[in-house]
Amino acid sequence: MTEPSPLRRAATQRPLLEYKHVCKTFGAFTALDDISINIYPGEVVCFIGPSGSGKSTLLRGTNGLDPFDGGEVFFDGQILPRKQSEVRKVRQRMGMVFQNFELFPHKTALQNVAIGPITVLNKDRVEAEQQAMALLAKVGLADKADNYPVNLSGGQQQRVAIARALAMQPEVLLFDEPTSALDPETIGEVLSVMKALADEGRTMVIVTHEMSFARRVADWVIVFERGKVLEEGPPEQIFEAPKVERTKEFLSHLGWA
Amino acid sequence: MPDFDISPILESWQFLATGIGVTILLSILSMAASVLFGTVLGIARVYGSRLLQLVITFYVDTMRSIPVLVVIVWIYFAVPILTGINFPPFWSALIAITIHITASVVEIVRAGIESIREGQCRAALALGMSWPQVILNIVLPQAAIRMLPAIGSVLSVTIKDTAIASVIAVPEFMKRAETVASQSYQPMEVFTFAIFVYFLLLFPTTRTIDFIYRRVAHLGRS
Amino acid sequence: MTLDWSIVWLNKEALAEGALMTIVLTVLTMSLAVPLGIVLAFMRLSKWRSLALLSQCFVELFRNIPLILIVYWSFYVIPILIPVQFSAFTTGLVALVLCVSAYNAETFRAGINSVRHGQTNAGLALGMSQLQVMKEIILPQAARRVLPILATTWVSLFKDTSLVSVIAVGELSHVALQIRSQSFRVLEMLTAMAVIYWMMGYPQAKLSDWVRKKFEVKE
């Protein structure tokens, strides 16, 4: 089990991810307005907030899929490069899980997990598939290895997608609303896989609307509204004694407290 | 690069312009007849008896395997031998192109009807409508909108097919252009001009239909 | 009215040669128009505006004029523009390739564009290069949508080869129409021509239906 994050934060540790004055606009809409936050190694950080508050935009800019307009991101002390060929190297060290799974429909579950190591890391196919098999077992889907995505439930697809991200042995996992597209009955299986990963001490950044999951699993919670950070802190503080009035309102809208 | 002499086009502009008129007339008539027959046969293809379905499928697949040139030539030369009735080339072309294009329309109508969800029919039946009412009021209007892009490309094919009617000397634009080209000994100018004319006929037509479809597409979703 | 069907049998060799020529034209045209269509599609999707515009103009032009006009134009105008004498066969082939590669370009472009953008993101997030994303993720998925349309184009092309008969390329319809005008057995020859086309075209039409069913994308 990991120690509570505030202790880590107190230590003079270098952040794994460091956002400095990040900005992004879509036309006249300001999606991110001067955001500066840190994410420390081994920490599970949940981004929460109303729809359109900028939390997903911040996550998607982290690996350069939707580059920011201004400000900088440092990953492991290195500034995130803008050049395609260089940002690739950084993406190989980050895993990403999408809201709509985005499994490759022309590949089986096993092939989906193995494709990263094979094409990007030039791993031997047999070796990559052995590793992929182990990862599928880890997410509880060893028996579905030869199924195509179309034959898997949403929850199963998302678990394969998590295994696909893990196959690159990433230093941080980025989750973009991983359960928003799921049927209520399959949300649990995905969350419990994520909980297990958190317990391993992995660094995870999770954009989510699952408040009880955030309360239970997060080491640190950041509340967003209109492209700004409303407040941040350990889950006990955010959920039990928020300092900002708007946080209280947002949580009570969701039926929390 | 040889000189470009457009005087033959200017000299025969009336001859060519009436050709364009015939092309447009032949296109509109063939298309209208094909949409009419194609819709009737398409409905029969989906809702008709087993035998009727087989016959229509056979007709459609036959037209998919025989070039329109062959149909045009056959109707023009062979039908008079069989029936003793001589049609002018325009009418032969109209009949042949209609027979050919109708088959495409049948397929489009069938696909359009089959794309409407069954729930739509059940909802209409639940309101107490009869089957003909369901088809007329619910299925066809939605299917018609979904069919629009495909109908647009069939219209484009129809206009192009009328150019093939030149082989039986229908006085449409392709035939007229050919005549002017051979009489003036200036095929480069005349045929290049013909490319412009056909492009100006076809491009706006397909674009307009695409434009209309984008405006009404939401009405066909269910 | 007396019919004499022996005329068909008497000319069986010429007809067979014509039918063979029809098939040769179809196969040759398609094997040239597929690579050309791919090149045109990638030009259209490229970052260079001028390249994309060039491809778009080519595609829109040849999709919006009748093939028979392209055939006439190639026959009469190409010899004026370039001082090389092509055979009628080559001219007909050029006209068919111009037309079909324009259609194929549109097919490939639509196929590539039909793959959701999220798929590209998922590939990039794994650290793939644009080229790897194209090869591993986009093209295999696009192929499923492209193949059925290519099959339909194939059947149309098979029929459209009949149009090069107007410049005396010795394919099936040209051969049959020649025999008709020499023998005056009009009904017999025209019917035979239609039946031969039917016998060759019908299985192809059914095969294209099968391809469409097999590759139909379920969503």
Side-chain angles (χ1 to χ4, degrees), chain A residues 35 37 45-50 53-55 58 206 208 211 214 220-235 237-239 242-251 254:
Chain A
I35 301 246
I37 53 168
V45 178
C46 283
F47 292 178
I48 64 170
S53 58
K55 52 196 192 309
L58 187 65
I206 306 166
T208 187
M211 293 305 145
W220 197 254
V221 177
I222 305 179
V223 191
F224 288 81
E225 192 188 52
R226 293 183 198 182
K228 284 181 175 296
V229 173
L230 211 50
E231 81 172 283
E232 57 180 316
Q237 177 207 314
I238 299 292
F239 288 99
K243 288 177 182 153
V244 184
E245 193 56 35
R246 291 286 302 130
T247 308
K248 250 180 242 173
E249 283 173 33
F250 166 67
L251 289 171
L254 294 171

Side-chain angles (χ1 to χ4, degrees), chain A residues 63 65 84 88 91-92 94 96 98 100 102-107 115-116 119-120 164-165 168, chain C residues 116-130 132 136-138 140-141 144 218:
Chain A
N63 63 357
L65 283 181
Q84 272 293 322
R88 272 185 67 200
R91 285 181 189 147
Q92 291 168 19
M94 299 180 180
M96 190 167 204
F98 298 83
N100 294 312
E102 298 298 351
L103 288 186
F104 305 128
H106 58 299
K107 307 226 170 246
I115 189 173
T119 57
V120 180
R164 176 176 71 181
M168 297 294 290
Chain C
R116 263 186 306 152
H117 189 63
Q119 290 282 304
T120 306
N121 275 346
L124 290 177
L126 286 173
M128 290 186 186
S129 64
Q130 292 280 357
Q132 283 173 324
E136 299 286 336
I137 312 296
I138 310 289
Q141 292 183 59
R144 297 184 68 82
K218 291 178 204 79

Side-chain angles (χ1 to χ4, degrees), chain C residues 40-95:
Chain C
L40 283 165
F42 277 111
M43 279 170 66
R44 178 78 189 272
L45 295 167
S46 83
K47 278 179 290 204
W48 292 289
R49 299 267 309 144
S50 52
L51 219 54
L53 194 69
L54 194 70
S55 161
Q56 188 179 3
C57 288
F58 178 93
V59 170
E60 290 298 349
L61 178 66
F62 284 102
R63 270 159 46 94
N64 283 298
I65 45 177
L67 174 58
I68 192 168
L69 177 56
I70 308 176
V71 174
Y72 278 127
W73 193 89
S74 309
F75 188 73
Y76 289 108
V77 181
I78 290 180
I80 300 175
L81 294 180
I82 34 177
V84 187
Q85 204 60 46
F86 288 121
S87 65
F89 175 82
T90 314
T91 309
L93 184 65
V94 167

Side-chain angles (χ1 to χ4, degrees), chain C:
Chain C
M1 180 173 62
T2 52
L3 292 177
D4 180 8
W5 292 97
S6 65
I7 187 77
V8 178
W9 186 249
L10 282 173
N11 290 286
K12 59 180 183 300
E13 271 152 36
L15 288 170
E17 266 173 46
L20 185 67
M21 181 60 99
T22 292
I23 294 168
V24 168
L25 269 173
T26 311
V27 172
L28 266 182
T29 303
M30 208 41 147
S31 35
L32 291 169
V34 164
L36 255 173
I38 292 174
V39 170
L40 283 165
F42 277 111
M43 279 170 66
R44 178 78 189 272
L45 295 167
S46 83
K47 278 179 290 204
W48 292 289
R49 299 267 309 144
S50 52
L51 219 54
L53 194 69
L54 194 70
S55 161
Q56 188 179 3
C57 288
F58 178 93
V59 170
E60 290 298 349
L61 178 66
F62 284 102
R63 270 159 46 94
N64 283 298
I65 45 177
L67 174 58
I68 192 168
L69 177 56
I70 308 176
V71 174
Y72 278 127
W73 193 89
S74 309
F75 188 73
Y76 289 108
V77 181
I78 290 180
I80 300 175
L81 294 180
I82 34 177
V84 187
Q85 204 60 46
F86 288 121
S87 65
F89 175 82
T90 314
T91 309
L93 184 65
V94 167
L96 286 167
V97 169
L98 285 173
C99 180
V100 177
S101 42
Y103 281 100
N104 286 353
E106 199 53 20
T107 305
F108 289 119
R109 185 184 71 87
I112 290 170
N113 278 349
S114 73
V115 181
R116 263 186 306 152
H117 189 63
Q119 290 282 304
T120 306
N121 275 346
L124 290 177
L126 286 173
M128 290 186 186
S129 64
Q130 292 280 357
L131 212 66
Q132 283 173 324
V133 169
M134 190 48 92
K135 181 171 154 280
E136 299 286 336
I137 312 296
I138 310 289
L139 290 184
Q141 292 183 59
R144 297 184 68 82
R145 310 193 192 226
V146 163
L147 272 174
I149 306 174
L150 279 187
T152 308
T153 306
W154 174 283
V155 176
S156 297
L157 165 62
F158 163 76
K159 294 187 283 178
D160 284 346
T161 56
S162 64
L163 296 179
V164 299
S165 64
V166 298
I167 56 168
V169 178
E171 46 64 70
L172 179 56
S173 54
H174 182 71
V175 171
L177 292 172
Q178 287 291 109
I179 300 169
R180 169 209 61 144
S181 58
Q182 286 155 11
S183 68
F184 302 107
R185 306 298 335 175
V186 175
L187 181 67
E188 293 87 333
M189 276 321 295
L190 292 184
T191 308
M193 167 169 78
V195 170
I196 297 171
Y197 267 114
W198 184 86
M199 289 194 302
M200 296 200 293
Y202 201 88
Q204 294 179 49
K206 282 294 167 195
L207 199 67
S208 87
D209 286 348
W210 178 81
V211 170
R212 194 167 53 200
K213 272 226 179 63
K214 181 154 168 60
F215 287 95
E216 202 169 44
V217 179
K218 291 178 204 79
E219 270 164 317

